[in-house]
Amino acid sequence: MEDRVRVVIAEDSVLLREGLTRLLTDRGHDVVAGVGDGDALIKTITDLAAQDSLPDVVVADVRMPPTHTDEGVKAAVQLRKQHPGVGVLVLSQYVEERYATELLAGSSRGVGYLLKDRVAEVREFVDAVVRVAQGGTALDPEVVAQLLGRSRKQDVLAGLTPREREVLGLMAEGRTNSAIARQLVVSDGAVEKHVSNIFLKLGLSPSDGDHRRVLAVLTYLNS
């Protein structure tokens, strides 16, 4: 498969871990390891790196043993620093803004934050895994809504029109311009114009390359 990716899954629930494994392998992807806590995740990735066999993406629960607080996201942040080429997609029961912001504060490549309910939407979930593995982003709409909707972001948002904010939200979900156009029932050219205006108002120059889409979201998160 052209989009076949190698995945490591970190989830303490054996049932969910096995379910994710089956879901991905049934669609032609390779789950090279499954672990149940943050320490095991770090060790597994370290061992794979030593074998020059890093996965394309890690799918990890935010909360894992022993305390079931932030072990998963801490491991994810550490991995992003040590192995920036490995995508990280974290799953959470609820939108936890601090964890989402911490995860998104570093490199703009290969990162995702989805609510666990999104796993039930099989096609969207698998698409998100592949997108993050290939260096893209996958942010749950609920995460985007909460992170971009904080009152302390309003000064930044003030420069954008309502339509531009709507386009930005869809960009942050990882949608292409064509997908945004279909969602908003407008032309591709109209979306391209909105995206260009967003980049201009946020001071993102063409030298930032393709990652301007991610940097546009990170500008809000870090402002």
Side-chain angles (χ1 to χ4, degrees):
M1 290 178 58
E2 186 174 329
D3 290 334
R4 186 170 185 164
V5 298
R6 301 175 71 252
V7 187
V8 169
I9 297 174
E11 166 60 57
D12 63 298
S13 167
V14 176
L15 183 62
L16 181 54
R17 187 166 70 238
E18 292 300 320
L20 292 174
T21 299
R22 179 65 181 271
L23 186 156
L24 290 167
T25 56
D26 281 354
R27 283 153 184 80
H29 303 293
D30 297 324
V31 177
V32 297
V35 298
D37 61 69
D39 289 341
L41 173 59
I42 295 297
K43 183 179 186 305
T44 295
I45 298 301
T46 300
D47 291 344
L48 289 172
Q51 300 167 23
D52 195 25
S53 186
L54 282 170
D56 299 302
V57 60
V58 169
V59 178
D61 191 355
V62 166
R63 298 171 179 255
M64 288 195 290
T67 67
H68 293 279
T69 54
D70 59 359
E71 283 83 359
V73 75
K74 280 185 175 179
V77 171
Q78 181 177 337
L79 288 177
R80 280 175 59 73
K81 292 177 180 178
Q82 295 177 342
H83 306 285
V86 177
V88 173
L89 174 61
V90 299
L91 303 177
S92 180
Q93 193 70 40
Y94 310 101
V95 178
E96 301 180 80
E97 294 182 9
R98 179 170 64 89
Y99 298 153
T101 303
E102 184 177 6
L103 183 69
L104 294 166
S107 170
S108 60
R109 285 186 56 83
V111 62
Y113 189 113
L114 297 180
L115 297 183
K116 286 188 174 181
D117 288 346
R118 198 67 59 187
V119 177
E121 301 171 21
V122 174
R123 183 173 179 177
E124 288 188 21
F125 172 71
V126 175
D127 285 349
V129 172
V130 173
R131 188 160 63 247
V132 171
Q134 295 175 343
T137 60
L139 299 180
D140 194 285
E142 289 297 322
V143 175
V144 174
Q146 289 203 30
L147 291 178
L148 299 187
R150 298 180 193 171
S151 59
R152 70 185 181 89
K153 304 296 188 286
Q154 293 308 307
D155 288 343
V156 180
L157 294 176
L160 301 181
T161 67
R163 177 62 85 175
E164 288 166 354
R165 297 185 196 185
E166 191 172 11
V167 169
L168 178 57
L170 293 170
M171 286 168 55
E173 292 174 27
R175 298 176 189 255
T176 64
N177 284 2
S178 295
I180 294 172
R182 289 194 298 271
Q183 176 74 19
L184 300 180
V185 194
V186 297
S187 68
D188 286 2
V191 173
E192 291 174 5
K193 182 176 181 180
H194 289 311
V195 172
S196 295
N197 287 339
I198 290 169
F199 292 157
L200 180 63
K201 291 177 180 180
L202 297 182
L204 298 174
S205 68
S207 62
D208 291 316
D210 293 337
H211 302 311
R212 285 190 297 174
R213 299 179 76 87
V214 178
L215 292 172
V217 177
L218 294 180
T219 297
Y220 295 116
L221 301 180
N222 295 324
S223 64

